[in-house]
Amino acid sequence: MRPMRLAPAVLPLIALCACGELTVPDYNNTSLDDLRNNPTPAKVAQAAQGLLVGTRTMFGPQNGYISLLGIVGRESYNFDAADPRFITEMLIGPLDGGSPAFGGNLFGAPYLNIRNANTLLDAVGETPGMSAEDMDAVRGFAKTIQALDYLLVINTRDEYGAPIASGGDPRDPPAPIASKAEVFAHIVQLLDEAKTHLQAAGSTFPFTMSPGFADFATPADFLEFNRAIKARVDVYMGNYSAALTSLSESFLDTSAPLDFGAYHTYTTGSGDLQNLLFDPTGRAILAHPSIVTDAQQRPGGSPDLRLTTKVVPRAEGPRTVQGITTDVVFSIYNSNTAPIPVITNEELILLRAEARLFTSDIPGAIQDLNLIRTTAGGLGNYAGPSTEAAVLDELLYNRRYSLLFQGGHRWIDARRFDRLATLPLAVAGHTVQPRFPFPEAECLARVPAPTEGCG
């Protein structure tokens, strides 16, 4: 096991744009033409660092990936009085592709980052002064981040699919919509190509990684992160034998802390992003009350530790908006600079439990679940039936509480296992949205050819 150099509770809160050699211009607004036409090792390093900034863009906002997927997955509410669409659109529906902060959201930012990565990949091979090993390191890193961005898109659009081609001439016709299976296949291809590049790279990256990726700051260690993302994709695809292989090459370690992993980090530095999921008073973001009522009991009658460490009573008491009432808020993110997990050891163990369950290794699945139950939840060992259906119920319970409000996992899991109808509805007339539509601008660019997902 590598020593744990970075713990979420003590993350160095250093902005990518405010620490030593990382003092550079806005990563998301660098001149792409300059990188294409006059690439240098310094410009390549700057562009590579910018990909981590780009991929975290929509994680921490109150209308970002975690928040919106939390709402549709009944993990959270947003009672922001300034915008009732957090209820009228997200909970009642339908999701509106013409609403760029809601139904049409979580689309443009990943593709901007994918396009920037394509520019970097085009430039790196033409950069004088870079060794072949450094070029492979950059390529492996960039393709891994592209895969992560495509995964964010397909997680929201699901059966609608998504474009794969990105970064061509803006005057060209829009790229065709690929099927969900084709997008997943492309993600796997990117991750496997990245693996080959990282294996051919040297011992270091020719750029500095963000603090949240400090434990994956060499090509060899970053390859373990790559395989972790590959394992998540394998599981989402139902390729469980492949998932077990990917997990064996990842940073999964049952003797390591469960929170060991990769994180997006935030600061209050000028020009940097903050974690706006931090909302201790429940001004806008509140926890769904079912998190409290559905928690299992520990020996002695106290609730699952994951409840008491992640959700607390609202100091001001219950709050009701449009007939919805809750009296709990999240304590997961304890400041506006709190890190947000990308993937952790805890998730990897749960992914292995699922892969074992569906490869006829129910005892192995229960063993993994017991590790999570006892270590993260303070619960006793699983004592239910050893049937696939019963163990799946237990798996989904543990995924819900272990991955709470970290990335829409409950919504994605409910959809994967055809359980969206089991998510609670607070008020008659509420619905559970199965996927997000394409943004209106994307649809208008495809007129007159209609595209499913365009309303």
Side-chain angles (χ1 to χ4, degrees):
M1 181 188 79
R2 298 195 309 275
M4 187 175 184
R5 300 189 298 274
L6 184 68
V10 294
L11 276 168
L13 301 177
I14 303 169
L16 277 175
C17 56
C19 58
E21 69 272 25
L22 292 181
T23 303
V24 296
D26 183 350
Y27 290 123
N28 290 327
N29 291 291
T30 56
S31 170
L32 296 180
D33 285 338
D34 188 39
L35 178 62
R36 291 188 192 97
N37 298 330
N38 186 29
T40 66
K43 292 173 186 175
V44 166
Q46 177 181 316
Q49 289 169 317
L51 296 183
L52 276 181
V53 177
T55 199
R56 73 169 180 166
T57 299
M58 289 308 298
F59 266 77
Q62 290 196 353
N63 69 324
Y65 185 84
I66 292 174
S67 178
L68 293 188
L69 271 61
I71 294 170
V72 294
R74 273 44 178 194
E75 292 181 306
S76 62
Y77 289 125
N78 190 316
F79 286 172
D80 188 349
D83 202 328
R85 289 177 295 177
F86 283 109
I87 294 175
T88 58
E89 187 169 338
M90 301 305 299
L91 293 175
I92 300 173
L95 295 181
D96 181 5
S99 169
F102 295 91
N105 203 351
L106 311 178
F107 190 87
Y111 279 110
L112 174 60
N113 211 44
I114 290 166
R115 178 175 180 266
N116 288 345
N118 282 336
T119 300
L120 173 61
L121 289 166
D122 289 341
V124 70
E126 305 298 326
T127 304
M130 286 195 76
S131 68
E133 288 184 338
D134 281 351
M135 290 179 183
D136 271 315
V138 171
R139 290 178 180 125
F141 171 78
K143 290 183 179 182
T144 300
I145 299 303
Q146 282 188 319
L148 189 60
D149 284 321
Y150 277 114
L151 183 58
L152 298 181
V153 173
I154 200 60
N155 280 347
T156 55
R157 270 62 198 188
D158 190 48
E159 294 295 341
Y160 290 150
I164 290 176
S166 176
D169 190 321
R171 296 166 294 184
D172 291 342
I177 301 294
S179 69
K180 177 181 176 180
E182 289 170 332
V183 175
F184 270 123
H186 183 64
I187 292 170
V188 170
Q189 178 182 338
L190 284 170
L191 290 169
D192 286 345
E193 289 176 359
K195 175 183 177 180
T196 300
H197 291 306
L198 292 167
Q199 289 173 326
S203 60
T204 61
F205 281 113
F207 56 89
T208 303
M209 204 70 81
S210 78
F213 279 75
D215 286 297
F216 306 95
T218 69
D221 289 341
F222 192 78
L223 178 55
E224 295 184 358
F225 169 78
N226 169 289
R227 293 295 91 183
I229 298 300
K230 170 68 161 43
R232 181 192 283 172
V233 172
D234 290 332
V235 165
Y236 283 1
M237 296 172 66
N239 292 341
Y240 291 114
S241 293
L244 290 172
T245 299
S246 298
L247 288 163
S248 70
E249 298 171 342
S250 74
F251 60 90
L252 188 157
D253 186 344
T254 56
S255 64
L258 295 180
D259 58 9
F260 180 88
Y263 291 78
H264 291 311
T265 48
Y266 300 83
T267 78
T268 57
S270 177
D272 196 27
L273 299 176
Q274 297 180 28
N275 180 353
L276 300 180
L277 301 175
F278 170 64
D279 189 358
T281 65
R283 182 201 68 82
I285 294 180
L286 297 99
H288 199 285
S290 65
I291 298 169
V292 177
T293 56
D294 293 349
Q296 294 183 17
Q297 300 298 301
R298 301 169 62 194
S302 58
D304 191 317
L305 279 175
R306 289 166 292 186
L307 168 65
T308 56
T309 57
K310 297 180 180 185
V311 173
V312 296
R314 184 172 181 264
E316 296 81 357
R319 186 174 175 195
T320 301
V321 174
Q322 296 191 40
I324 308 167
T325 299
T326 183
D327 62 353
V328 284
V329 295
F330 292 104
S331 55
I332 299 171
Y333 307 113
N334 58 9
S335 75
N336 59 358
T337 58
I340 296 176
V342 180
I343 193 165
T344 63
N345 191 35
E346 188 165 1
E347 181 181 350
L348 295 182
I349 294 169
L350 288 165
L351 291 172
R352 190 173 70 178
E354 182 173 338
R356 284 175 161 176
L357 174 62
F358 291 109
T359 54
S360 302
D361 182 10
I362 290 180
I366 293 174
Q367 180 181 27
D368 283 336
L369 291 176
N370 281 339
L371 173 61
I372 299 300
R373 283 176 57 86
T374 57
T375 307
L379 304 169
N381 284 337
Y382 173 69
S386 296
T387 63
E388 183 178 285
V391 176
L392 175 59
D393 287 342
E394 179 63 24
L395 169 71
L396 293 177
Y397 170 83
N398 282 279
R399 283 182 58 84
R400 177 184 178 187
Y401 282 85
S402 284
L403 309 180
L404 182 67
F405 208 49
Q406 292 183 7
H409 296 282
R410 189 187 186 199
W411 181 62
I412 294 167
D413 288 347
R415 187 176 61 202
R416 288 197 296 132
F417 291 102
D418 196 25
R419 298 188 180 199
L420 290 175
T422 68
L423 298 181
L425 306 179
V427 176
H430 282 196
T431 59
V432 176
Q433 308 297 327
R435 61 192 62 87
F436 284 64
F438 291 121
E440 183 178 61
E442 185 75 13
C443 294
L444 291 175
R446 299 175 185 279
V447 172
T451 297
E452 187 181 11
C454 281

